[in-house]
Amino acid sequence: MAPERETTREIRERDRMPAGATATARPRARLDLPRPPRSRILPEWDPEAFGRLSERIARFLGTGRFIVWMTFVIIAWVVWNVSAPSGLRFDEYPFIFLTLMLSLQASYAAPLILLAQNRQDDRDRVNLEQDRKQNERSIADTEYLTREIAALRIGLGEVATRDWIRSELQDVMRELEERTDGHRGKDDRHGRGDAAGTDSAYSRQIGRRDVT
């Protein structure tokens, strides 16, 4: 049975192989492993590091220190090429090399400034998005607190307050006093009637004794 299974497996593999394929199977790419890095002709760099460097240069270009240093360099350049001996002058009038250097500096400064502005725009966009989400959460919390306060006010409207309890107690005390006063009056009337009856009975007994 084993040789038959092996032959059927070989037949299936032979059917899957395209025409003209060699015996060595083509290696398959594994999906559980990262692909190896490809060789590049151009040098690689870190975009984040380059962006930070461009921001530093842009910040320096926008300061007064850079203007002072550039003015000092231009003045020294012009004075040297005007007053120095002819053999030591490297840029004669009309200072073409100075113009070239300034143009080169401007051509590099503009893209660096734009790159720094783009990075700042990205940060501002992220900050605005976070602020918008924070405002939405604040509005939701405010609405929730407003509903809770309204529910508490409605609930407090149905709760007995101190003044209401005091007024109810005063009414109950007044009613009790009225009832006690009524009971006292009835007791006094019953007591007077009993006393009068006993006096009359006593006088009748005395009269009978005198007659006998």
Side-chain angles (χ1 to χ4, degrees), residues 181-195:
D181 292 339
H183 286 298
R184 286 176 183 176
K186 289 180 182 179
D187 293 337
D188 292 339
R189 287 195 295 271
H190 285 298
R192 290 175 184 176
D194 294 339

Side-chain angles (χ1 to χ4, degrees), residues 33-52:
L33 296 176
R35 296 180 63 180
R38 296 180 180 178
S39 59
R40 295 182 181 180
I41 301 174
L42 297 176
E44 297 181 1
W45 64 87
D46 187 7
E48 188 67 23
F50 186 75
R52 289 195 296 267

Side-chain angles (χ1 to χ4, degrees), residues 5-6 17-18 27 30 63 89 94-96 99 106-107 133 136 152 158 163 169 171 177 183 190 192 194:
R5 291 179 182 176
E6 190 68 25
M17 292 176 64
R30 297 188 60 178
T63 58
R89 297 175 187 176
F95 311 114
I96 298 174
T99 306
S107 63
K133 292 180 180 179
E136 290 178 355
L152 288 175
E158 299 176 356
D163 296 335
L169 289 175
D171 295 338
E177 289 177 357
H183 286 298
H190 285 298
R192 290 175 184 176
D194 294 339

Side-chain angles (χ1 to χ4, degrees), residues 58-153:
R59 290 194 186 97
F60 178 70
L61 292 176
T63 58
R65 182 183 300 176
F66 170 74
I67 296 174
V68 171
W69 278 106
M70 189 174 66
T71 304
F72 176 76
V73 170
I74 291 173
I75 292 173
W77 189 299
V78 172
V79 170
W80 177 266
N81 289 286
V82 169
S83 61
S86 59
L88 298 177
R89 297 175 187 176
F90 57 88
D91 189 13
E92 296 287 343
Y93 182 83
F95 311 114
I96 298 174
F97 187 57
L98 177 62
T99 306
L100 179 62
M101 293 298 295
L102 293 177
S103 301
L104 186 64
Q105 181 265 331
S107 63
Y108 273 97
L112 291 174
I113 293 171
L114 290 175
L115 180 59
Q117 288 179 354
N118 292 333
R119 287 173 58 85
Q120 186 64 36
D121 292 338
D122 294 338
R123 283 195 295 269
D124 293 340
R125 191 180 301 108
V126 172
N127 292 331
L128 289 174
E129 186 68 21
Q130 292 178 356
D131 293 340
R132 186 180 64 81
K133 292 180 180 179
Q134 184 66 30
N135 291 332
E136 290 178 355
R137 287 195 294 268
S138 299
I139 292 171
D141 294 339
T142 304
E143 292 178 354
Y144 173 75
L145 292 175
T146 304
R147 290 194 297 269
E148 290 295 323
I149 291 172
L152 288 175
R153 288 181 177 177

